[in-house]
Amino acid sequence: ACVVKGGHLKGGANVLDVLWDGARLHQFRHPRLAAHETHGTGCTFSAALTASLARGQSLSRATASAQATVYAALRRARPAGSHWQLNLI
């Protein structure tokens, strides 16, 4: 399986993440946020994905959950030095 995140691609009103599960291609979209110099979205995504899989979610559901977690954290991000800190709380 492979997940390709599209958040750093420029342009477009939506972000598209793609999951290949070995048999099928899944697409996950959400509105693009006007995020500032963020750092850690990939690590946060992989940690959320791993946690969801550990809770027994399917790969597709875990990917959707990880995307929702990062999206929510970006919506609540706050400035911290030269970056914006993701807010998972």
Side-chain angles (χ1 to χ4, degrees):
C2 179
V3 175
V4 178
K5 292 173 58 341
H8 293 292
L9 296 175
K10 303 295 183 209
N14 292 308
V15 172
L16 172 65
D17 296 338
V18 178
L19 163 67
W20 173 252
D21 66 8
R24 184 170 168 241
L25 189 68
H26 305 263
Q27 296 183 4
F28 305 89
R29 295 179 191 275
H30 66 80
R32 181 175 299 280
L33 296 171
H36 303 275
E37 283 293 315
T38 57
H39 183 74
T41 55
C43 295
T44 302
F45 183 91
S46 64
L49 177 64
T50 300
S52 293
L53 290 171
R55 287 192 303 261
Q57 290 184 358
S58 70
L59 183 55
S60 177
R61 180 68 191 117
T63 302
S65 179
Q67 185 190 53
T69 297
V70 172
Y71 181 77
L74 281 169
R75 285 187 60 222
R76 296 187 299 258
R78 298 292 177 254
S82 63
H83 294 285
W84 282 58
Q85 178 180 354
L86 296 179
N87 186 349
L88 295 168
I89 299 172

